[in-house]
Amino acid sequence: MPTSQQEKRRWLVFSFITLGLLLNSCASLKIIPEETIVKDKFSRTYSIDFTSFHPKLNSALQEYAKKHKGNSFRIARLGSDGVIINGYFKSDGNQERFFTNITVNPAGKKKTRLEIKLSTNNPNVSPESFEKAYKELFQIIERGTEVSPRE
């Protein structure tokens, strides 16, 4: 009987691996409906070449920081495959100062992907404050670079 149990275990392991591979292939082929895929609301894709976008982005952030006390941004990594800008963001309507990590990567021919991550040491900051800060930072970037998100 031990042989039968071993065979059942092998079959079970094989079945789970096969099921996992099947689900993975369906997701990559987009057989799973688009609505079920969670979209990241803190990143956007722009229809502009990466090498043109990231200098405009840095300039827009530096201009904003000069005019608004409590803000600062610096390039932490500059490369042909991505740019990382770190700093502090404080919106006009919020007293909270957020640590900001902005990542910019090429997303194809004449496309750039921008991702913003905010954090704070204050555990009492509400999710609404984060949401408002994300929206405001995207607006600052889009106004300063004169670029709008890709539809």
Side-chain angles (χ1 to χ4, degrees):
M1 191 94 164
T3 321
S4 176
Q5 284 183 340
Q6 287 177 342
E7 288 177 14
K8 286 180 183 178
R9 282 189 186 137
R10 284 186 195 142
W11 184 84
L12 190 61
V13 169
F14 176 76
S15 297
F16 279 118
I17 290 172
T18 304
L19 182 63
L21 291 172
L22 178 65
L23 289 174
N24 185 37
S25 66
C26 288
S28 64
L29 292 174
K30 299 197 185 253
I31 293 173
I32 296 174
E34 185 91 15
E35 305 86 53
T36 60
I37 299 172
V38 178
K39 295 191 178 195
D40 179 7
K41 59 184 173 182
F42 305 121
S43 67
R44 295 187 180 169
T45 302
Y46 299 97
S47 295
I48 185 172
D49 187 61
F50 168 75
T51 56
S52 301
F53 181 73
H54 73 79
K56 290 180 181 183
L57 167 67
N58 187 44
S59 293
L61 293 172
Q62 296 307 323
E63 282 299 314
Y64 183 82
K66 284 180 190 174
K67 295 176 184 176
H68 297 84
K69 190 175 180 176
N71 291 279
S72 66
F73 302 96
R74 68 175 182 78
I75 295 177
R77 180 182 180 276
L78 180 61
S80 61
D81 62 337
V83 173
I84 298 174
I85 299 174
N86 292 329
Y88 291 95
F89 173 68
K90 182 177 180 254
S91 66
D92 290 332
N94 191 348
Q95 294 302 315
E96 191 61 45
R97 193 170 180 210
F98 295 96
F99 176 74
T100 308
N101 180 289
I102 300 172
T103 306
V104 186
N105 298 102
K109 191 173 185 177
K110 295 190 179 188
K111 292 181 189 171
T112 301
R113 185 170 191 277
L114 172 86
E115 180 179 329
I116 300 173
K117 293 180 185 174
L118 298 176
S119 61
T120 182
N121 291 334
N122 184 352
N124 299 321
V125 176
S126 70
E128 292 82 20
S129 293
F130 275 100
E131 185 78 28
K132 183 180 176 192
Y134 278 111
K135 286 181 181 180
E136 190 172 339
L137 201 48
F138 275 118
Q139 287 175 351
I140 292 163
I141 291 167
E142 290 165 5
R143 262 188 257 125
T145 60
E146 299 177 346
V147 176
S148 58
R150 192 176 135 250
E151 298 299 326

